[in-house]
Amino acid sequence: MIHGPENYGIERPLLEWVAAVAKTTKPDGIAWCDGSDEEFQSLIKLMTADGTLIKLNQEKYPNCYLHRSNPNDVARTEEATFICTKNREDVGPTNNWMSSDEGEAKLLKLLDGCMIGRTMYVIPYLLGPVGSPYSQVGIELTDSCYVAANMEIMTKVGKVALEHIKDGEFMKGIHSTGQLDPNKRYICHFPDKKLIMSLNSNYGGNALLSKKCHSLRIASVMARDQGWLAEHMLIIGIEDPDGTVTYVTGAFPSTSGKTNLAMLKPPEYMKDWKVWAVSDDIAWMHLDSEGRFRAINPESGFFAVSPNTNIRTNPRIMETVMKNTIFTNVALAMDGTPWWEGMGDHPRKLWDWQGRVWTAGKGSAAHPNSRFTTSTNQYPFLSREYTNPNGVPITAIIFGGRRSDLVPLVYESFSWEHGVLMGAMLKVETTAAAGGEVGVLRYDPMAMKPFCGYHIADYFRHWLSFRSKSENLPKIFQINAFRMGRDGRFLWPGYGHNLVVLKWIVDRCRGRAEAVETPIGYVPTPESLNLNEMNLPGNTIEELLHVNNAAWMDELESSWRFFKTLGEQFPNILWQELSKLTERLRNPS
Ligand code: GTP
Ligand code: SPV
Ligand code: MN
């Protein structure tokens, strides 16, 4: 580390930009990151020395560390997130807007001298497979060692990134810890300038600029302009007993089960099936010459939720995080192992996520949005196609999210347009992944409300535009593993058992599963689901698959009101789809 740029044969514009930022931020030194293990270990050493990281029990958790955030900095802050463009109308009603010039001037002022006494890390990162025409390069400048180390887990850092720069173009990211002052916290995106500036937060999606800022907010604008999709989606390959692999993507809002589905372990009764992970959070999808979407994972690591992960619900995740992992805001047991709610019995003595002695009844020991960062490479069930520069062909798109009622376990849309409406109508309970109240129902179309970098109505138009471009579009489904009974308990056991739902989806795509046509779409017959060994009590499955027409009518009214707030640009086709759906509910056949 602390190599000079001469090690890379770096181009002039990049050097000039780094120098210009350094002139403003005034760091004590500049370190060019090469992404080597050696460098990663030196970052870790610096952080264990200054208390940024706590070394965990190295026998049980080799090369694992704990970071405790500033308590005011534990989740994405949507109120401090801005899209900065020329005109307010560019970003629509679901984004905060600042004028591009004003935003840049404001942030440059705040950046003045903000790195005094610190090192500025230059992190060239590659998003996507090596050699892929769809991959992109960014450079993040940061004064946070913690951010630098996490970027090395989440992306491919160093020479490999610089080698992928095309025509001198790369995403520019400037990040500073500042004083972690929530009143001066800004996460600003400049799609026209391919620039991101983020200040006063070191938390995940606010600070690892490759993630939501680059891969979704700015990439979504590029995708609109270039005819592809940048989505908040997992990607998995589902291998049936014959060895045929079907690839699907799934858009579920934050903390709604993407990582768990991506790392699903088939239950005993389906052990001749296999599930391979390609991505757990983000998918970039391009149409190939046959009109099929091909998806790549821009990331190289998982930044995923800890609470409720345990050896029973998800053994694959548990095994993966037992080495080479940075935990953030989990609790710490006396023996130096991490702990979180839903992991199992709590150890006798614990420190909570803020380092205070914890006793039962004192609230949660781990923060509800506590997470871990770990490399995709150490996940044993990573798809062989993960590194395929062309991506994997997508057969189905699944929308999902937390709904304690209304939405059945799974159903299939009638058409692409109806599926787009399904995604646009996605309404879910909020979680701890973003600041604000938890458990409130809010619209999160395609799980992209916080991540779409332009007008959401135009985004729907963009989705609809694929209809005329391809005869081979994926089928669209919606799933809901979070439906509750009257006793407030989940009706569906979820996790590994979700493979039952995935199998139905695969079977539908192959034309070999039964369904009943309901007003909202095709719903499985109970017999078409592989439920034999699940022992669901009583009429649970009927409850899970039930379509309550009256409740759906209320839902449509609420969607209608939401769509109205999106203004004139809201596509006519979706109004028509909504009317057709209303008509079907009113006059069910
Ligand atoms: P982000 O990283 O925020 O985008 O979240 P995600 O969509 O990847 O969600 P994740 O898989 O991390 O799951 C979030 C929470 O939901 C965790 O606490 C999981 O244990 C829980 N969860 C995931 N799948 C299921 C399921 O099938 N049923 C139930 N009841 N809970 C689940
Ligand atoms: C999410 O909130 O959807 C996450 C976590 O995946 S973050 O990286 O903070 O956006
Ligand atoms: Mn996410």
Side-chain angles (χ1 to χ4, degrees):
M1 200 178 50
I2 326 245
H3 298 303
E6 64 279 0
N7 294 35
Y8 300 104
I10 287 164
E11 308 259 333
R12 240 204 142 77
L14 169 54
L15 291 177
E16 283 171 2
W17 175 63
V18 172
V21 175
K23 201 169 163 207
T24 307
T25 56
K26 306 181 181 64
D28 282 8
I30 300 179
W32 289 73
C33 295
D34 63 8
S36 62
D37 290 345
E38 219 183 338
E39 173 179 88
F40 184 80
Q41 287 309 327
S42 70
L43 291 169
I44 296 286
K45 214 165 158 192
L46 280 174
M47 289 190 280
T48 45
D50 73 5
T52 306
L53 291 184
I54 297 167
K55 205 181 221 174
L56 293 173
N57 184 322
Q58 296 294 299
E59 248 162 63
K60 291 183 177 159
Y61 284 82
N63 202 24
C64 289
Y65 301 87
L66 164 65
H67 173 72
R68 292 182 181 137
S69 301
N70 184 312
N72 81 33
D73 188 32
V74 292
R76 280 183 294 103
T77 39
E78 292 178 7
E79 68 286 357
T81 302
F82 292 84
I83 309 292
C84 307
T85 61
K86 206 158 168 210
N87 304 307
R88 184 182 288 272
E89 301 80 68
D90 299 334
V91 308
T94 55
N95 280 308
N96 299 316
W97 177 80
M98 238 191 262
S99 107
S100 182
D101 293 342
E102 205 182 292
E104 197 171 351
K106 188 181 181 117
L107 268 86
L108 280 175
K109 216 160 142 193
L110 289 169
L111 284 169
D112 191 8
C114 69
M115 295 188 187
I116 291 172
R118 299 176 185 163
T119 298
M120 181 169 89
Y121 297 93
V122 182
I123 310 167
Y125 61 85
L126 173 66
L127 297 179
V130 170
S132 169
Y134 312 131
S135 292
Q136 294 188 22
V137 178
I139 316 276
E140 176 162 351
L141 309 179
T142 178
D143 58 9
S144 161
C145 221
Y146 168 75
V147 167
N150 277 295
M151 284 296 288
E152 299 208 338
I153 296 177
M154 294 305 295
T155 66
K156 301 174 191 76
V157 167
K159 204 162 172 223
V160 67
L162 295 168
E163 285 167 355
H164 280 73
I165 293 181
K166 276 178 261 163
D167 306 325
E169 286 237 352
F170 56 90
M171 190 74 62
K172 300 181 174 76
I174 308 171
H175 167 261
S176 174
T177 309
Q179 307 306 317
L180 293 181
D181 179 350
N183 297 315
K184 292 186 183 148
R185 188 165 291 162
Y186 290 98
I187 297 95
C188 288
H189 306 71
F190 302 81
D192 304 332
K193 298 177 183 167
K194 295 252 185 82
L195 172 68
I196 304 154
M197 293 200 217
S198 166
L199 265 112
N200 284 304
S201 168
N202 278 355
Y203 197 80
N206 287 343
L208 310 177
L209 302 184
S210 60
K211 199 169 177 53
K212 297 312 185 353
C213 303
H214 178 164
S215 292
L216 290 179
R217 296 199 190 92
I218 298 203
S220 63
V221 176
M222 297 168 72
R224 175 198 61 190
D225 296 343
Q226 299 164 3
W228 52 282
L229 289 170
E231 299 297 325
H232 189 199
M233 287 178 175
L234 68 96
I235 313 167
I236 46 175
I238 306 158
E239 186 174 332
D240 72 12
D242 302 334
T244 310
V245 185
T246 305
Y247 294 93
V248 308
T249 62
F252 316 163
S254 304
T255 328
S256 293
K258 288 183 300 301
T259 301
N260 276 272
L261 202 66
M263 297 186 168
L264 183 153
K265 181 180 180 187
E268 208 34 47
Y269 57 85
M270 287 182 79
K271 64 175 185 309
D272 44 357
W273 287 69
K274 297 189 173 92
V275 177
W276 304 104
V278 181
S279 173
D280 81 320
D281 200 48
I282 298 175
W284 285 352
M285 296 198 284
H286 294 73
L287 284 182
D288 65 14
S289 55
E290 278 138 45
R292 294 242 276 178
F293 273 122
R294 293 233 157 216
I296 61 162
N297 178 2
E299 302 193 282
S300 306
F302 306 115
F303 176 58
V305 177
S306 296
N308 292 324
T309 306
N310 61 54
I311 207 77
R312 203 173 34 80
T313 56
N314 206 316
R316 291 189 172 177
I317 300 185
M318 290 304 286
E319 284 155 23
T320 305
V321 300
M322 291 199 65
K323 55 180 191 291
N324 312 320
T325 297
I326 298 178
F327 293 90
T328 296
N329 298 336
V330 298
L332 178 65
M334 275 289 270
D335 65 350
T337 57
W339 192 84
W340 48 79
E341 274 66 25
M343 188 188 199
D345 291 342
H346 68 76
R348 253 196 349 195
K349 192 165 176 202
L350 270 179
W351 286 278
D352 75 2
W353 63 277
Q354 297 187 66
R356 302 171 303 196
V357 173
W358 183 85
T359 42
K362 260 195 168 176
S364 60
H367 188 276
N369 191 37
S370 53
R371 291 185 180 248
F372 57 81
T373 357
T374 201
S375 162
T376 45
N377 285 332
Q378 66 176 33
Y379 180 61
F381 302 93
L382 192 66
S383 164
R384 259 185 291 130
E385 297 296 305
Y386 168 76
T387 50
N388 185 337
N390 296 318
V392 294
I394 300 303
T395 304
I397 292 174
I398 308 169
F399 293 115
R402 287 175 179 268
R403 284 300 294 262
S404 51
D405 58 9
L406 192 78
V407 179
L409 179 63
V410 56
Y411 69 107
E412 179 191 336
S413 66
F414 292 121
S415 64
W416 179 256
E417 290 79 357
H418 176 216
V420 174
L421 177 72
M422 218 180 219
M425 284 175 62
L426 206 62
K427 193 181 187 188
V428 296
E429 286 147 30
T430 51
T431 66
E437 224 179 318
V438 169
V440 187
L441 268 179
R442 80 162 185 190
Y443 279 97
D444 192 349
M446 280 85 169
M448 281 288 279
K449 183 197 169 277
F451 308 120
C452 178
Y454 60 103
H455 200 301
I456 198 105
D458 287 337
Y459 169 72
F460 299 152
R461 282 176 187 272
H462 182 50
W463 266 77
L464 291 166
S465 74
F466 290 99
R467 168 42 78 224
S468 62
K469 290 184 192 149
S470 168
E471 292 294 316
N472 269 329
L473 293 173
K475 277 182 182 288
I476 299 181
F477 296 82
Q478 182 168 12
I479 70 173
N480 179 20
F482 298 93
R483 201 152 163 169
M484 284 175 176
R486 265 171 230 109
D487 58 359
R489 300 199 6 198
F490 292 120
L491 289 168
W492 180 248
Y495 299 103
H497 301 285
N498 289 330
L499 187 53
V500 169
V501 174
L502 294 176
K503 176 182 182 298
W504 187 80
I505 290 173
V506 168
D507 287 346
R508 285 298 290 175
C509 293
R510 307 258 190 84
R512 60 183 191 200
E514 292 275 318
V516 272
E517 189 174 331
T518 76
I520 62 164
Y522 298 112
V523 175
T525 57
E527 301 72 41
S528 66
L529 294 166
N530 182 25
L531 301 171
N532 299 343
E533 295 178 56
M534 277 185 69
N535 300 321
L536 289 176
N539 59 353
T540 307
I541 194 64
E542 284 74 19
E543 254 185 276
L544 278 163
L545 297 175
H546 180 62
V547 178
N548 179 336
N549 288 7
W552 272 97
M553 285 298 273
D554 293 343
E555 178 81 356
L556 294 197
E557 233 182 89
S558 151
S559 302
W560 188 86
R561 280 198 301 275
F562 169 60
F563 293 159
K564 274 281 169 202
T565 66
L566 304 183
E568 298 278 291
Q569 275 131 295
F570 188 79
N572 253 329
I573 295 178
L574 291 188
W575 284 128
Q576 286 160 16
E577 282 297 327
L578 192 65
S579 307
K580 284 199 252 173
L581 180 51
T582 313
E583 208 41 50
R584 291 196 298 267
L585 284 161
R586 224 177 250 145
N587 302 305
S589 49

